[in-house]
Amino acid sequence: MAGRYGRPRSVLRMRTVAGQVFLLQVAIVVLLVAAAMAALVLQSRTDSEREARNRSVAVAESFAHGPGIEPALRSADPTAVLQPRAEAARKATGVDFIVVMNTEGIRYTHPITNRIGKKFVGTLKPALSGAVVTEKIVGTIGPLVQATVPVFGHEGKVIGLVSAGITIKKVSGVVDDQFPLLFGTAAGILVLTTGGTALVSRRLRRQTHGLGPAEMTRMYEHHDAVLHAVREGVIIAGGDGRVLLANDEARRLLDLPPDVEGRQIADLGLDRATAELLASGRVVTDEVHPVGERLLAVNQRSTDQAGGPPGSVTTLRDTTELRAVTGRADVARGRLKLLYDAGTEIGTTLDVVRTCEELAEFAAARFADIVTVDLAEDVLTGEEPAVFAGAGIEVRRTAAAGIPPDSGLYPVGSPIRFEPSTSVGAGITSGEAVLEADLPAFSGWQLQNPQRARKIVARGIHSMIAVPLGARGAILGVVMFWRSQVPEPFEEEDLSLAEELVARAGVSIDNARRYTREHTMAVTLQRSLLPRALPEQNAVEAAYRYLPAQAGRSGLGGVGGDWFDIIPLPGARVALVVGDVVGHGLHAAATMGRLRTAVHNFANLDLPPDEILWHLDELVTRIDQDEGSEGAEGAGVTGATCLYAIYDPASGTCTMARAGHVQPLVLRPDGTAETAEVPGGPPLGLGGMPFESWQRELPEGSRLVLFTDGLVEDRDRDLDDGMELLSRTLADHPERTPEETCEAALGALLPELPSDDIALLVARTRVLDTAHIADWDVPPDPSAVAQVRAAAVRKLVDWGLADEAFTTELILSELVTNSIRYASGPIRVRLIRDTSLICEVSDRSSTSPHLRQAATTDEGGRGLFLIAQMAERWGTRYTAGGKVIWTEQTLADGGLFAAAADGEDPLR
């Protein structure tokens, strides 16, 4: 093959790079193939030994556990029974021997019969202890592996041993048969790889173009010209520390002498650090060294890494001007990064104090050693900040970071008054930042508090920047940055950065202040609309929980439209109400207040639950129509539900109706939990569909669990799953009080971050003792009035209420007389001793009497007027068969509470 200049070239000529590479690759391939074959041989031996071990163990264990082995060992002549079996098993399994022996190692079987009765050769002690013994030995038939296993009797003791063995040669025969194929494959691989190596060497020769000495010399001359023309210094040093080559740029940068080649680096007059670096030969990358007035970026690599001669190659680059420009760019980039990070890390919450803490922590870690944030008191409460003027600026230290102990700085929570005569006070008043670069100079800043100023300086705090904290034209407080660990004082550039940082934080703090004000207003409104305490009543023992939604996740953060109520009703009854207005914020809270007020007003009418919801539905419909006609977008009731229940402790009867609300739970005294199947009605305001009632007589001690959907429904849980979980949680615990029931429900179902309000009301029913209820049927005869009065007086005397007898007689006389005169059907009188004395007169008439003012000449019309004067309250309650006129008289001794104090149990 012709070379580049007509001279013949051969791939296999060893003086060429291609030939040397070819031989090297062939040698590597041969070594790899040889290593692979050796590994295969070793692996085959290991596999053969493992196979021999596994087969001998398997055969020995199978024979030892075979049927009839134990009777044979216990027989008079074990050899007669076991020898034929052992030989048959040996031939079937291909092992070389199966030996059965007693616990002393005396053989019962052996392929060579003259060895029967002799001592077994091998390790027996572990097998006598119940273990399996495998061992490799060299016997008369060659290297073999034998396994010895115990034979257990029915009592669990070792009664004999079985050993099976097989020669390794017998197992490795299959592998040996494969060696010709393996060697043939290896030879084929060697041929293929040798051919591939030849192709690679040919390509390498083609890429080097077969250059000879002349061509290489010419190439060196070209490289040398380029080396001296580049604007980067190059120095090549030998392993003995002598300079082998230095280009023109290296001579200029290091100011080297003309005869530098061949001289020791230590004799070149370089500064100590640079000389040590060039002589060391250590690897460096872009290491900056000052040389005279220049900053040189040094890169150094060793030349002997790939078998080359010892030494090093060093490149030098002048970065003096670039360094200055880069430094300014780095500073600007760092400031921008600082401000960007401040925007992401400051103001993550709408909490004034937390935002101040984030500002202090961020600035103390990234800008100053110590940071303090002081706010006006009005800002902390959410109010508009007062204008700082004249008499001094009063603030409170709200947050601080990095304050060392005994530093003299005010701690968090301390009130601070900045005098206008001081630099900081004047800066706050004017809204301008103040830089005190040298605190120990005491240039006037110490007038604020000279004693604290001395402590501050003594603690090593030497520089300070005070920036008024402002937003939207108002001054909220002041942020002060202090340096103690960093020796450099603050500069004018730091002042501009501090102003920008505080300006960005000021917007977040003002946003948090405004949110605090709006949230406080909304929460105040909502709390004023919810019941603050449970009313006094004896019908149920009640407990409640109200939990707002997680702040920041809905509306105004926790202001919603869920509500509950317990309303005492005439006749010792009580109304239990739970409602929910869809949405959050002021509108939902205001709507909730309107609906709650309406429920109270409708409850005073003493109507059944379904009629209460009907009136409430009509009211919501009118509200939507009125507000919709005014064009107030979104101002109507966009969704409201309600559950209204009435419980009568005299009869133990509970009546419920619901308008789009979730069904309540009833926990019976035996621990069972069931969902009250109250007929579903549409949400309030839809209209057009009637509401139906659910009525049951509940055992005493039953617990009614009323709640809004926020308890059982969440983003990660649907309503049905929540209801099932609530039932499982509350069931089988009849001993729990209402308070404990509330805690158990919230503990099991309350999500970590509630997205909806939760209202929960638990009421345990009570039943009035029959001894505190008296009733009589009154015939429609005027003469019966006196009999009823006399019976009532006797009952009052029995109750210890003789002082109420006269008033009660007058009330009963008027009510019974009116029923006899104007009503029809049976008349019934009932007295109930509760927290007040309740008189009820029922009849079949649906006509309700009304109070009027009788003239002086009228002979009648004063009865209800007298009743209204003598009774605390009175009214009419309609029933399915007529009406009930009732009155309540306040008891001076507390009624049932006085009875309980006397040891009498008024409730059961």
Side-chain angles (χ1 to χ4, degrees):
M1 181 182 293
R4 185 173 182 180
Y5 296 100
R7 294 187 296 270
R9 298 287 185 181
S10 173
V11 175
L12 299 179
R13 289 181 65 182
M14 296 303 103
R15 73 177 188 85
T16 64
V17 175
Q20 294 177 0
V21 170
F22 174 77
L23 288 181
L24 178 62
Q25 290 181 338
V26 169
I28 291 174
V29 170
V30 171
L31 289 176
L32 290 176
V33 171
M37 291 303 299
L40 286 175
V41 172
L42 292 176
Q43 181 64 33
S44 67
R45 292 181 179 179
T46 303
D47 292 343
S48 298
E49 184 175 338
R50 184 185 302 111
E51 175 62 23
R53 189 182 305 274
N54 293 339
R55 189 183 299 183
S56 61
V57 170
V59 172
E61 287 185 337
S62 298
F63 195 86
H65 299 150
I69 187 69
E70 181 179 355
L73 288 173
R74 297 182 185 276
S75 65
D77 188 3
T79 300
V81 178
L82 295 175
Q83 177 68 9
R85 293 186 185 180
E87 285 303 296
R90 179 181 66 81
K91 295 175 182 178
T93 57
V95 297
D96 289 291
F97 65 84
I98 296 178
V99 176
V100 183
M101 69 198 84
N102 60 15
T103 56
E104 295 179 355
I106 303 303
R107 299 187 183 102
Y108 290 146
T109 66
H110 196 279
I112 302 174
T113 56
N114 61 4
R115 296 187 183 181
I116 297 175
K118 296 182 179 180
K119 184 77 172 181
F120 177 77
V121 179
T123 304
L124 301 180
K125 187 175 180 180
L128 293 174
S129 300
V132 176
V133 180
T134 60
E135 50 189 338
K136 180 181 178 182
I137 63 174
V138 178
T140 57
I141 57 176
L144 59 85
V145 175
Q146 67 181 16
T148 306
V149 300
V151 178
F152 294 96
H154 65 275
E155 70 277 4
K157 296 182 179 180
V158 177
I159 61 174
L161 302 172
V162 175
S163 178
I166 185 171
T167 58
I168 296 176
K169 179 179 179 181
K170 180 178 293 187
V171 177
S172 62
V174 176
V175 178
D176 295 340
D177 295 340
Q178 296 178 353
F179 276 126
L181 176 62
L182 294 176
F183 281 113
T185 303
I189 294 174
L190 181 60
V191 171
L192 290 175
T193 52
T194 303
T197 302
L199 293 176
V200 172
S201 300
R202 182 180 178 183
R203 182 172 180 82
L204 178 61
R205 183 189 59 79
R206 186 183 300 115
Q207 289 178 343
T208 58
H209 303 289
L211 292 177
E215 292 88 345
M216 295 299 294
T217 301
R218 189 160 43 250
M219 180 176 292
Y220 170 77
E221 292 173 350
H222 294 163
H223 290 173
D224 187 64
V226 172
L227 182 67
H228 290 283
V230 296
R231 297 293 295 171
E232 187 168 287
V234 179
I235 296 178
I236 301 177
D240 57 355
R242 296 182 180 274
V243 177
L244 302 179
L245 182 147
N247 70 348
D248 296 341
E249 184 67 9
R251 297 169 187 267
R252 184 184 71 84
L253 294 176
L254 297 179
D255 195 18
L256 298 176
D259 57 344
V260 65
E261 280 85 357
R263 296 178 60 177
Q264 290 287 336
I265 294 176
D267 299 335
L268 298 179
L270 301 175
D271 63 277
R272 179 179 178 184
T274 304
E276 289 179 353
L277 174 62
L278 296 178
S280 67
R282 63 185 176 89
V283 176
V284 296
T285 301
D286 288 337
E287 187 174 298
V288 178
H289 278 260
V291 178
E293 296 180 356
R294 296 187 180 94
L295 288 176
L296 303 183
V298 181
N299 290 274
Q300 186 166 273
R301 296 291 184 272
S302 174
T303 59
D304 59 357
Q305 295 180 353
S312 62
V313 178
T314 306
T315 61
L316 309 169
R317 186 173 66 256
D318 190 356
T319 63
T320 305
E321 295 181 0
L322 179 62
R323 193 75 176 179
V325 175
T326 304
R328 290 192 293 270
D330 289 343
V331 171
R333 189 182 303 109
R335 293 177 182 272
L336 290 175
K337 180 68 165 55
L338 177 69
L339 295 176
Y340 173 79
D341 293 342
T344 60
E345 298 182 25
I346 300 174
T348 59
T349 65
L350 289 174
D351 182 85
V352 173
V353 175
R354 181 55 193 154
T355 304
C356 293
E357 292 173 347
E358 291 174 345
L359 170 60
E361 293 168 0
F362 177 84
R366 304 280 294 274
F367 178 66
D369 298 322
I370 304 169
V371 180
T372 59
V373 183
D374 309 321
L375 295 183
E377 293 283 358
D378 294 338
V379 178
L380 291 173
T381 58
E383 301 298 328
E384 292 290 339
V387 178
F388 294 124
I393 301 98
E394 295 183 356
V395 294
R396 183 173 296 276
R397 181 135 296 171
T398 307
I403 295 182
D406 300 329
S407 62
L409 295 173
Y410 290 96
V412 174
S414 302
I416 305 174
R417 179 184 178 87
F418 291 103
E419 297 298 335
S421 59
T422 63
S423 58
V424 176
I428 297 175
T429 304
S430 62
E432 297 180 357
V434 177
L435 170 61
E436 292 286 349
D438 188 9
L439 293 180
F442 294 111
S443 58
W445 67 275
Q446 77 280 3
L447 298 177
Q448 172 70 31
N449 191 321
Q451 183 178 0
R452 286 185 178 272
R454 288 192 295 270
K455 285 186 177 181
I456 290 173
V457 173
R459 202 67 173 81
I461 302 174
H462 59 81
S463 186
M464 180 267 291
I465 293 178
V467 182
L469 180 63
R472 301 179 178 93
I475 301 299
L476 310 178
V478 61
V479 181
M480 305 181 75
F481 305 92
W482 313 78
R483 272 188 179 172
S484 60
Q485 303 297 325
V486 178
E488 294 80 10
F490 286 117
E491 300 175 349
E492 290 295 333
E493 292 184 355
D494 297 320
L495 183 64
S496 61
L497 177 61
E499 289 177 323
E500 181 65 25
L501 180 62
V502 172
R504 297 195 178 197
V507 175
S508 298
I509 293 175
D510 191 56
N511 289 339
R513 177 192 66 81
R514 292 170 179 266
Y515 170 81
T516 300
R517 180 183 61 187
E518 300 298 328
H519 180 67
T520 301
M521 292 172 55
V523 170
T524 302
L525 171 63
Q526 185 186 37
R527 289 178 178 174
S528 66
L529 297 176
L530 286 172
R532 299 187 178 182
L534 297 180
E536 182 181 297
Q537 49 81 33
N538 278 327
V540 294
E541 177 190 356
Y544 67 91
R545 293 290 187 276
Y546 178 81
L547 297 176
Q550 174 71 21
R553 293 189 60 176
S554 53
L556 286 173
V559 179
D562 291 16
W563 91 92
F564 65 91
D565 252 320
I566 295 182
I567 306 173
L569 298 178
R573 297 169 303 138
V574 67
L576 307 174
V577 190
V578 173
D580 184 4
V581 176
V582 175
H584 298 83
L586 287 176
H587 177 65
T591 303
M592 176 269 289
R594 298 167 74 178
L595 295 182
R596 181 170 176 255
T597 302
V599 169
H600 273 265
N601 291 333
F602 292 142
N604 288 333
L605 299 177
D606 208 357
L607 300 174
D610 54 339
E611 294 189 31
I612 292 284
L613 293 183
W614 182 83
H615 284 290
L616 200 60
D617 180 69
E618 289 289 317
L619 173 66
V620 172
T621 301
R622 288 196 300 272
I623 291 175
D624 285 342
Q625 291 174 350
D626 293 343
E627 295 184 346
S629 63
E630 296 176 0
E633 183 178 355
V637 182
T638 57
T641 65
C642 183
L643 173 66
Y644 191 93
I646 295 177
Y647 176 69
D648 186 355
S651 61
T653 302
C654 181
T655 307
M656 299 186 196
R658 64 186 180 102
H661 203 79
V662 291
Q663 294 175 330
L665 287 182
V666 178
L667 307 178
R668 297 192 175 273
D670 59 0
T672 58
E674 62 176 318
T675 301
E677 300 296 336
V678 182
L684 299 175
L686 297 183
M689 296 183 65
F691 298 98
E692 299 181 28
S693 294
W694 174 92
Q695 182 171 322
R696 295 289 187 278
E697 184 173 340
L698 301 179
E700 182 181 3
S702 299
R703 284 167 293 167
L704 296 172
V705 183
L706 285 63
F707 49 88
T708 55
D709 57 358
L711 177 65
V712 294
E713 190 175 22
D714 192 54
R715 289 183 174 91
D716 303 324
R717 181 179 60 222
D718 59 27
L719 182 63
D720 293 337
D721 293 339
M723 291 290 293
E724 182 180 354
L725 177 59
L726 181 63
S727 297
R728 292 199 309 267
T729 302
L730 301 184
D732 301 326
H733 293 282
E735 76 285 352
R736 284 176 178 166
T737 64
E739 286 286 345
E740 294 171 342
T741 303
C742 288
E743 290 298 326
L746 294 179
L749 284 92
L750 183 64
E752 182 178 357
L753 297 175
S755 59
D756 196 6
D757 304 338
I758 296 174
L760 173 62
L761 179 61
V762 179
R764 181 159 61 186
T765 61
R766 295 170 172 170
V767 176
L768 288 176
D769 192 344
T770 56
H772 294 273
I773 302 175
D775 54 358
W776 302 275
D777 291 324
V778 182
D781 184 355
S783 62
V785 177
Q787 300 175 6
V788 172
R789 290 203 308 266
V793 170
R794 288 194 298 270
K795 180 55 68 174
L796 292 178
V797 172
D798 293 341
W799 286 344
L801 302 177
D803 294 340
E804 306 295 331
F806 177 73
T807 302
T808 306
E809 280 189 280
L810 293 178
I811 292 174
L812 288 177
S813 294
E814 178 61 30
L815 295 180
V816 174
T817 300
N818 283 343
S819 294
I820 293 174
R821 180 178 299 176
Y822 301 110
S824 61
I827 301 171
R828 191 171 183 81
V829 174
R830 184 168 70 164
L831 293 181
I832 301 176
R833 179 187 177 185
D834 192 42
T835 55
S836 60
L837 180 62
I838 302 170
C839 299
E840 296 182 347
V841 177
S842 59
D843 55 45
R844 292 288 185 178
S845 173
S846 60
T847 303
S848 175
H850 62 280
L851 179 67
R852 65 186 182 90
Q853 298 288 340
T856 56
T857 58
D858 292 343
E859 295 183 0
R862 297 180 177 84
L864 289 181
F865 179 77
L866 292 176
I867 290 175
Q869 297 300 315
M870 293 182 290
E872 180 71 19
R873 293 195 306 161
W874 75 280
T876 303
R877 178 171 74 252
Y878 291 97
T879 63
K883 69 176 183 299
V884 176
I885 302 177
W886 55 269
T887 65
E888 288 186 4
Q889 299 165 241
T890 302
L891 301 178
D893 60 356
L896 286 185
F897 296 112
D902 294 336
E904 182 181 350
D905 184 10
L907 299 168
R908 57 178 179 84

